[in-house]
Amino acid sequence: MIKNYIKVALRNLTRNQAYSLINIGGLAIGITVAMLIGLWIHDELSFNKYHKNHDDIAQVWGGGTDPETLTIEGSYYLQYPLGAVLKNNYQHYFRHALMAWGAGDRTLSFEDKKIKKKGQFIEGDALEMLSLKMLKGSYGSLSNPNSIVLSKTTAESIFGGADPINKSLRIDNRMDVQVTGIYEDIPKNNRFSEVQFFSPFVLWATANDWIKRNENDWDNRPVNVFVQLQPGTSMEAANAAIKDLYYENIPQDFLNVIEASKPFVQVIPMSTWHLYSEFENGKPTGGRITFVWGFGIVGIFVLLLACINFINLSTARSEKRAREVGVRKTIGSSQGQLIFQFLGESFMVVMMAFFMSLVLLSLLQGWFNELADKDIAMPFSNLGFWVIAFLFLVLTGFMAGLYPAAYLSSFQPVKVLKGTLNVGQFASFPRQVLVVVQFTVSVILIIGTLVVYQQIEFARNRPIGYDRNGLITVPMADPEYIGKHDVLKTELLNTGVISELSLSSGPLTSITNMTGGYEWPGKDPNIDAVFVICNVTPDFGKTIGWEFVAGRDFSSDISTDLADAIIINETAANYMSLANPVGKELIDVDEFGNPQWSRKIIGVVKDIVMESPYEPVMQTLYYFNKNASSKLHIKINPAVSASVALPKIEAVFKRVLPSTLFDYQFVDEQYARKFGQEERIGKLSGLFSGLAIFISCLGLFGLASFVAEQRTKEIGIRKVMGASVSNLLRMLSRDFVLLVIISCVIAIPIALYFMSRWLQRFDYRTEISMWILLVTCIGALVITLLTVSYQALRAAMMNPVKSLRSE
């Protein structure tokens, strides 16, 4: 009997090839999208699970209450002595408590070879805590203060096939280290995936005297602290234990100063670092988890759209199989047997679609990984994948085939065999509802995609306060830069390929230094003023092209500017409530309120966007301090192309700084990377929206074909009676256009609600434009007309003699 069912199913599929192609192709695309999204979600949910102890690893976060807003604020940057306190006083809760310096780009030198790699300085037990897979060496490989452990890829890029153990390297041309271990590359879905080497924290502290001077300083926050819980200790218990750490360990005189902010520390589990990176009142509340849920829902709906096609086409063609049902029932088939047969056909279609989707997955793997910035491998060798795939197939088969099977098997044999089957006036109503559902989902996805891109463009076009065109930044970590600024500037200007050069203490595209403790005339005594600090040389403004709203720029010709002048941004002027800030004194005080220095505000510049383009600009102070500089900014002459300028700039660097790696970055490229996450989300949304509308159109094409076939004789009569092609085209398209209009009416308020909520995540955000709604709806209508017009036009152009001829 089953063999007979398979024969009947195959005959139906081959007899109706167009409908079979639409069903199988639509389902294959739907399954492919669902599986791609499923793999993407699995990759996101398995972030950081490479580490055996991932459930017990956490990072320490310090916060306090802002007296102005009464909101809890904080960061992962902590005081140097906090690490020692956790290690020595809370051993019952923490197996490891490790201080670290933030991961950053470093130059590794071996003989004449120099390469740039991202590395992290961290205390020695990190290798064990992170359970890195050591290919050479051991978990104790960072016990030597002058050691370095390399990733396998980094070791190969430096040493080729030679054994790297005990080889000597230099970090940033100032720290001599010895290779003591090699570890397996950390997967891409990991917080430490970009870290290509680890070196002891004590090495960094020794090479930077100012860090050592912070050993007992509870004011500055230069370090990160990672912890691993003791077995059996929960995150809640650890947080309860360390909540009052500041009150128990900070010197009383300093505690009196900061007590009003109610300072506290807490551990943030590794499991939340990636998906819950946004904080609200001191708790991780959101982040990428929004996209995980969003794409999960999209995957379900795209698969549902494909199943709707199957349901619609199966029920629409019910009359074609009505006699078959009647005959089978007459010779004794029960409704259950018929349901089993039709479900079997459904599973056969789903199985074909599934194997087609596996081929599509294999073909799309590389392209999808590039689009999503992932390294997802197809899990074909994983038994769990096949178990989930089987359950997925069963669910999809039931979802696609249950209603058509129940509908087809319900026909009464007497009516069918007499030829008096009347499906009823409302037989097409369920199909119309499903078409509305299809296009509602598609329209919502398209509106969502356009809103994402509108937000990206809104932020991209935001005034950033400087000219980033032709601007490059060179890190100055190498000590060879010391004292060479003037020589470099002279030599580079002599080439004619640059117009300006200057120094600053940080990059233009991120904040590296924030500090508090300032007084000014009229300051509210309850405000604990915090500013971003940027040390610059006098030519900094000319190099980046900042714009003044009041006052003037620094000048090398005015001797007092170097020691007594300061420039602020517009946000700082508003923050300080100064209507006319130029000429006002700004006083720096220590944690106990003792004056350290005072400077006169000589100018106010437009806000420079240094952090997220979606967030407000922080209040910022610029003042001269050449010795604190770590970045070199070069403005390429606008009359010279970058391809011509860069070789000449590099030649000067090699001549003036022969042992230094010429490492540069274009500022506009650095800034563009700030949009990376939203752009990837937009591209993925666009891909899934396009496939959703394509699947919907496939179903519409099939239904239009069926309707045209059903109404062949009617069309012939109308043509004989004088109906024009345009009249017939309008008649056949009207119902479908009406369904799409209904879909748009339903989709618009739903899309507005969800996208408005999504935009609330951004402080600097756009408003949803009416043109997005209009373009989407008009586009949906045009696509619908194009989809159905072929079948409608084909039917309308048919010779009425053929359509009215008796069978």
Side-chain angles (χ1 to χ4, degrees):
M1 185 173 68
I2 292 176
K3 184 179 178 182
N4 182 55
Y5 287 168
I6 294 173
K7 279 184 180 180
V8 172
L10 288 174
R11 284 172 183 166
N12 272 301
L13 289 173
T14 53
R15 186 182 300 122
N16 304 294
Q17 293 180 6
Y19 295 98
S20 300
L21 184 62
I22 289 172
N23 269 335
I24 296 172
L27 273 175
I29 294 171
I31 292 171
T32 302
V33 171
M35 291 177 72
L36 281 174
I37 290 176
L39 290 170
W40 184 87
I41 289 174
H42 178 266
D43 187 80
E44 291 286 311
L45 295 178
S46 59
F47 222 86
N48 292 326
K49 290 187 178 178
Y50 173 77
H51 311 291
K52 280 193 293 188
N53 311 308
H54 60 85
D55 287 332
D56 295 327
I57 298 174
Q59 188 169 0
V60 184
W61 188 91
T65 302
D66 186 324
E68 285 184 90
T69 62
L70 299 180
T71 57
I72 297 174
E73 299 175 348
S75 78
Y76 285 115
Y77 289 98
L78 300 166
Q79 300 88 346
Y80 191 110
L82 189 143
V85 168
L86 286 173
K87 189 179 299 183
N88 298 327
N89 299 354
Y90 296 89
Q91 294 176 349
H92 179 68
Y93 297 95
F94 303 113
R95 180 176 180 181
H96 298 298
L98 312 177
M99 283 192 293
W101 188 256
D105 290 330
R106 304 288 166 196
T107 301
L108 297 180
S109 307
F110 174 68
E111 297 176 347
D112 294 331
K113 182 181 286 186
K114 295 181 178 65
I115 62 172
K116 182 177 74 171
K117 292 291 180 181
K118 183 162 284 188
Q120 183 149 37
F121 296 91
I122 193 167
E123 292 186 292
D125 290 336
L127 304 182
E128 180 188 358
M129 184 181 79
L130 298 177
S131 58
L132 299 186
K133 295 178 182 175
M134 302 300 296
L135 304 177
K136 294 189 177 182
S138 67
Y139 284 157
S141 293
L142 289 181
S143 56
N144 185 328
N146 291 87
S147 58
I148 187 172
V149 214
L150 305 174
S151 70
K152 179 184 177 184
T153 300
T154 301
E156 289 173 350
S157 64
I158 298 174
F159 303 105
D163 185 1
I165 299 299
N166 295 326
K167 294 286 198 314
S168 295
L169 291 175
R170 296 203 87 194
I171 304 175
D172 287 341
N173 207 17
R174 64 193 180 109
M175 291 173 273
D176 293 302
V177 292
Q178 190 175 54
V179 180
T180 55
I182 307 296
Y183 61 90
E184 180 182 86
D185 287 8
I186 300 172
K188 194 165 186 176
N189 63 339
N190 191 283
R191 158 76 174 274
F192 299 96
S193 63
E194 293 185 348
V195 178
Q196 298 298 308
F197 73 85
F198 291 95
S199 219
F201 177 77
V202 65
L203 173 66
W204 178 255
T206 303
N208 296 273
D209 293 339
W210 66 271
I211 294 181
K212 275 289 185 183
R213 292 196 296 270
N214 281 273
E215 275 186 309
N216 299 305
D217 188 346
W218 285 94
D219 190 19
N220 289 327
R221 294 169 168 257
V223 301
N224 300 139
V225 179
F226 297 93
V227 296
Q228 180 184 341
L229 302 182
Q230 289 285 8
T233 301
S234 67
M235 294 289 172
E236 292 77 14
N239 277 329
I242 66 173
K243 184 178 180 182
D244 296 325
L245 180 147
Y246 284 130
Y247 293 90
E248 296 167 0
N249 294 277
I250 291 180
Q252 188 60 46
D253 54 352
F254 182 52
L255 182 60
N256 293 338
V257 176
I258 66 169
E259 194 170 11
S261 66
K262 301 175 184 176
F264 69 97
V265 292
Q266 61 179 337
V267 293
I268 305 298
M270 179 180 265
S271 59
T272 67
W273 294 354
H274 180 66
L275 296 177
Y276 297 90
S277 57
E278 297 174 2
F279 282 75
E280 185 175 336
N281 275 335
K283 297 295 179 184
T285 56
R288 287 183 70 88
I289 189 65
T290 305
F291 300 123
V292 170
W293 281 108
F295 280 138
I297 293 170
V298 168
I300 292 170
F301 274 114
V302 170
L303 183 60
L304 180 63
L305 298 184
C307 292
I308 287 173
N309 282 352
F310 185 93
I311 294 169
N312 273 346
L313 293 178
S314 297
T315 55
R317 296 186 63 79
S318 59
E319 292 179 39
K320 298 289 184 182
R321 302 193 68 179
R323 291 186 183 277
E324 176 192 343
V325 172
V327 171
R328 285 185 178 276
K329 281 194 169 185
T330 301
I331 62 176
S333 290
S334 66
Q335 186 170 2
Q337 288 175 319
L338 290 169
I339 288 175
F340 180 77
Q341 177 194 343
F342 292 130
L343 273 177
E345 292 181 16
S346 167
F347 280 114
M348 186 178 292
V349 170
V350 171
M351 190 66 70
M352 291 177 180
F354 174 71
F355 285 112
M356 188 184 291
S357 73
L358 292 182
V359 175
L360 288 173
L361 275 175
S362 300
L363 295 174
L364 295 173
Q365 176 184 355
W367 175 78
F368 182 77
N369 278 334
E370 184 179 348
L371 178 68
D373 192 29
K374 293 285 186 183
D375 190 18
I376 300 172
M378 296 298 108
F380 296 147
S381 59
N382 188 326
L383 178 62
F385 167 77
W386 293 106
V387 172
I388 293 172
F390 174 75
L391 296 174
F392 176 76
L393 286 176
V394 172
L395 178 64
T396 305
F398 269 108
M399 195 161 62
L402 191 58
Y403 175 71
Y407 179 76
L408 289 170
S409 63
S410 66
F411 291 153
Q412 296 178 19
V414 174
K415 291 185 178 180
V416 168
L417 297 177
K418 278 185 176 182
T420 58
L421 175 68
N422 184 0
V423 293
Q425 184 180 357
F426 300 103
S428 64
F429 180 72
R431 291 195 294 275
Q432 293 172 341
V433 170
L434 292 175
V435 169
V436 169
V437 170
Q438 278 188 314
F439 274 88
T440 298
V441 172
S442 300
V443 169
I444 289 171
L445 290 177
I446 292 170
I447 291 174
T449 301
L450 292 177
V451 171
V452 169
Y453 277 111
Q454 185 188 13
Q455 171 64 6
I456 292 171
E457 287 306 306
F458 181 74
R460 201 195 300 277
N461 295 328
R462 178 183 186 179
I464 61 170
Y466 64 98
D467 179 14
R468 60 181 182 268
N469 296 318
L471 192 61
I472 64 174
T473 295
V474 180
M476 298 167 58
D478 194 316
E480 195 174 354
Y481 280 97
I482 297 174
K484 302 288 180 65
H485 165 248
D486 293 333
V487 177
L488 260 181
K489 184 171 184 177
T490 302
E491 293 275 342
L492 286 170
L493 286 171
N494 287 339
T495 65
V497 299
I498 79 158
S499 54
E500 291 292 345
L501 180 146
S502 63
L503 308 177
S504 74
S505 60
L508 286 165
T509 54
S510 62
I511 292 172
T512 56
N513 190 5
M514 291 178 63
T515 188
Y518 291 96
E519 299 287 339
W520 60 87
K523 174 181 176 285
D524 184 343
N526 296 318
I527 295 177
D528 183 16
V530 177
F531 291 86
V532 175
I533 301 298
C534 189
N535 305 298
V536 300
T537 51
D539 293 329
F540 176 77
K542 293 184 208 170
T543 305
I544 71 167
W546 64 10
E547 301 175 53
F548 278 82
V549 294
R552 62 175 177 84
D553 203 344
F554 292 116
S555 173
S556 300
D557 299 328
I558 302 175
S559 59
T560 55
D561 276 9
L562 302 183
D564 299 326
I566 196 166
I567 291 174
I568 65 175
N569 66 354
E570 285 182 286
T571 296
N574 294 330
Y575 178 76
M576 298 163 73
S577 300
L578 295 176
N580 299 297
V582 176
K584 301 292 192 301
E585 292 286 333
L586 186 70
I587 304 166
D588 179 47
V589 297
D590 63 18
E591 60 266 33
F592 305 110
N594 302 313
Q596 302 296 298
W597 52 254
S598 67
R599 290 176 183 257
K600 184 180 290 184
I601 298 171
I602 63 168
V604 180
V605 293
K606 288 187 176 180
D607 289 338
I608 291 177
V609 179
M610 300 172 72
E611 284 288 310
S612 169
Y614 306 105
E615 304 296 332
V617 174
M618 288 283 294
Q619 51 273 12
T620 307
L621 310 178
Y622 303 91
Y623 56 86
F624 179 78
N625 186 348
K626 188 175 182 179
N627 295 328
S629 299
S630 64
K631 301 293 179 184
L632 182 68
H633 306 290
I634 299 172
K635 183 72 170 180
I636 296 175
N637 189 331
V640 181
S641 68
S643 59
V644 172
L646 286 172
K648 295 184 178 181
I649 294 172
E650 185 175 11
V652 171
F653 270 80
K654 286 183 176 178
R655 187 165 63 250
V656 178
L657 308 162
S659 65
T660 298
L661 175 70
F662 176 54
D663 174 30
Y664 67 91
Q665 285 188 313
F666 280 95
V667 174
D668 57 354
E669 292 178 356
Q670 288 179 306
Y671 188 76
R673 281 196 285 272
K674 293 179 179 294
F675 301 94
Q677 174 174 288
E678 283 72 25
E679 284 182 334
R680 280 191 294 276
I681 295 301
K683 288 176 181 177
L684 288 172
S685 300
L687 169 66
F688 300 143
S689 300
L691 290 174
I693 197 75
F694 177 73
I695 292 171
S696 299
C697 288
L698 272 181
L700 209 57
F701 183 85
L703 282 177
S705 174
F706 173 72
V707 169
E709 183 182 337
Q710 263 193 329
R711 302 177 73 175
T712 301
K713 292 190 184 299
E714 177 192 346
I715 292 168
I717 293 170
R718 287 181 180 273
K719 289 196 75 173
V720 170
M721 299 298 292
S724 66
V725 172
S726 60
N727 287 336
L728 293 171
L729 193 61
R730 187 164 55 250
M731 177 192 76
L732 292 169
S733 304
R734 183 177 57 232
D735 291 344
F736 293 110
V737 169
L738 180 61
L739 294 178
V740 174
I741 290 173
I742 293 170
S743 298
C744 291
V745 171
I746 296 171
I748 286 174
I750 297 173
L752 285 174
Y753 172 75
F754 284 106
M755 295 316 297
S756 296
R757 289 194 62 181
W758 179 74
L759 286 172
Q760 293 302 314
R761 299 173 62 245
F762 307 105
D763 289 300
Y764 189 82
R765 58 181 177 266
T766 186
E767 297 293 331
I768 300 176
S769 301
M770 284 300 297
W771 70 262
I772 287 180
L773 308 179
L774 290 173
V775 165
T776 303
C777 293
I778 292 171
L781 288 170
V782 169
I783 290 170
T784 301
L785 286 171
L786 290 175
T787 302
V788 302
S789 61
Y790 169 75
Q791 295 290 359
L793 193 61
R794 184 164 166 263
M797 298 290 289
M798 187 180 293
N799 188 340
V801 174
K802 290 183 179 180
S803 60
L804 295 176
R805 185 174 55 191
S806 178
E807 297 297 335

